């Protein structure tokens, strides 16, 4: 399958700071990026969907001002967790695809807010 | 929106036995049902999928069945091996390969 690279794989940050997570499609142009959050022993919850060059569509209950998503190019999308709090600690994972192909997951980012 | 329920949440089987995971979905418009395997600390990997115009699909030791009328689908793993141990997620989508709703996951443990 196609290669989707997500960085960093792990990050620890202090409460109140912001963290940026990058998701890159290495060998294809991803018109659509999905961002998920996964709490321990729980399922993957969709946070938002972004299409290249457009504003992201957020799922109900997800604060768009707290979780900033940028999809400025066909190979890069970023998720910025602003003013992070301990309850934001989670596993964040992107999924990149095109209109007519399977979408592929990045490696995921383990965020710990202390 | 779509709601996908999955059970059991945990499943232990002896090596060589079969494992079955069941899911139901709520939206009759859903037409694509992928299954993912997630090993500890790793990304989910697509292992098999089925579309709504097919009732059953098999790939070596893995098979999926779909009952559109009842809105449920199942994953069957035969001759289980220790490396099958992982968390398995079912999912449903009405957008083809795109936006999917995941089940809660089943932690499968294969005991040698």
């Amino acid at each position: 399958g196609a290669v989707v690279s997500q960085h960093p794989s792990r990050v620890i940050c202090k409460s109140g700071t912001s963290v940026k997570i990058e998701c890159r499609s290495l060998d294809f142009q991803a018109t659509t990026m999905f961002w998920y959050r996964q709490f321990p022993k729980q399922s993957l919850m969709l946070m938002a969907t972004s299409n290249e060059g457009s504003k992201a569509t957020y799922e109900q209950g997800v604060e768009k001002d707290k979780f900033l998503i940028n999809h400025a190019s066909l190979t890069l999308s970023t998720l910025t967790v602003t003013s992070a709090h301990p309850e934001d600690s989670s596993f964040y994972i992107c999924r990149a695809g095109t209109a007519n192909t399977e979408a592929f997951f990045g490696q995921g980012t383990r965020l710990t807010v202390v | 929106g779509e709601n996908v329920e999955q059970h059991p949440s945990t499943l232990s089987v002896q090596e060589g036995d079969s494992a079955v995971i069941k899911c139901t979905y709520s939206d009759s418009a859903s037409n694509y049902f992928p299954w993912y395997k997630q090993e500890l600390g790793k990304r989910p990997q697509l292992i098999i999928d089925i579309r709504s115009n097919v009732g059953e699909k098999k790939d070596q030791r893995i098979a999926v069945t779909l009952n559109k009328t009842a809105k449920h689908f199942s994953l069957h793993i035969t001759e289980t091996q220790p490396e099958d141990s992982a968390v398995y997620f079912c999912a449903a989508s009405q957008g083809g390969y795109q936006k999917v709703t995941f089940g809660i996951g089943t932690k499968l443990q294969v005991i040698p």
Side-chain angles (χ1 to χ4, degrees):
Chain A
V3 180
V4 177
S5 179
Q6 184 174 342
H7 293 278
S9 58
R10 292 178 180 273
V11 59
I12 301 173
C13 72
K14 291 185 177 180
S15 208
T17 61
S18 295
V19 174
K20 180 183 283 188
I21 301 169
E22 292 188 348
C23 183
R24 294 180 185 273
S25 55
L26 299 185
D27 55 358
F28 70 101
Q29 294 184 322
T31 52
T32 305
M33 289 276 196
F34 303 92
W35 286 95
Y36 295 85
R37 180 168 52 185
Q38 185 179 32
F39 290 108
K41 298 183 181 180
Q42 293 190 24
S43 189
L44 296 145
M45 301 302 298
L46 181 65
M47 299 175 67
T49 304
S50 73
N51 293 298
E52 185 265 338
S54 305
K55 288 185 178 180
T57 301
Y58 289 81
E59 295 299 302
Q60 191 173 9
V62 179
E63 299 175 60
K64 62 180 181 180
D65 294 329
K66 180 169 181 62
F67 299 100
L68 301 178
I69 291 173
N70 182 282
H71 190 173
S73 79
L74 286 171
T75 59
L76 174 64
S77 177
T78 61
L79 166 67
T80 302
V81 183
T82 63
S83 187
H85 292 284
E87 55 265 31
D88 297 326
S89 298
S90 187
F91 186 65
Y92 293 87
I93 191 165
C94 66
R95 185 166 168 261
T98 68
N100 299 309
T101 63
E102 166 63 21
F104 298 91
F105 284 99
Q107 301 100 313
T109 298
R110 175 73 60 194
L111 170 63
T112 303
V113 184
V114 297
Chain B
E2 175 67 278
N3 182 47
V4 177
E5 295 189 357
Q6 181 174 349
H7 60 93
S9 56
T10 59
L11 178 60
S12 291
V13 299
Q14 291 290 331
E15 182 178 358
D17 288 350
S18 296
V20 180
I21 301 170
K22 297 182 179 182
C23 290
T24 61
Y25 62 100
S26 61
D27 193 333
S28 56
S30 289
N31 58 14
Y32 176 64
F33 307 92
W35 286 86
Y36 292 87
K37 176 183 180 182
Q38 185 179 28
E39 297 177 2
L40 189 63
K42 296 187 177 180
R43 76 186 87 189
Q45 299 276 6
L46 176 70
I47 56 171
I48 196 167
D49 56 15
I50 191 168
R51 299 197 71 90
S52 59
N53 59 348
V54 176
E56 184 174 358
K57 184 176 178 180
K58 191 173 181 180
D59 182 4
Q60 299 182 345
R61 296 187 296 107
I62 295 174
V64 290
T65 59
L66 171 64
N67 184 326
K68 272 190 71 177
T69 303
K71 294 210 271 298
H72 64 71
F73 55 114
S74 301
L75 176 71
H76 304 252
I77 305 174
T78 58
E79 301 172 25
T80 54
Q81 300 168 3
E83 51 266 37
D84 294 330
S85 297
V87 177
Y88 291 80
F89 292 97
C90 63
S93 169
Q94 54 181 291
Y97 295 112
Q98 297 304 301
K99 180 176 176 178
V100 296
T101 301
F102 289 88
I104 198 164
T106 296
K107 184 176 181 180
L108 173 64
Q109 181 184 20
V110 180
I111 303 166

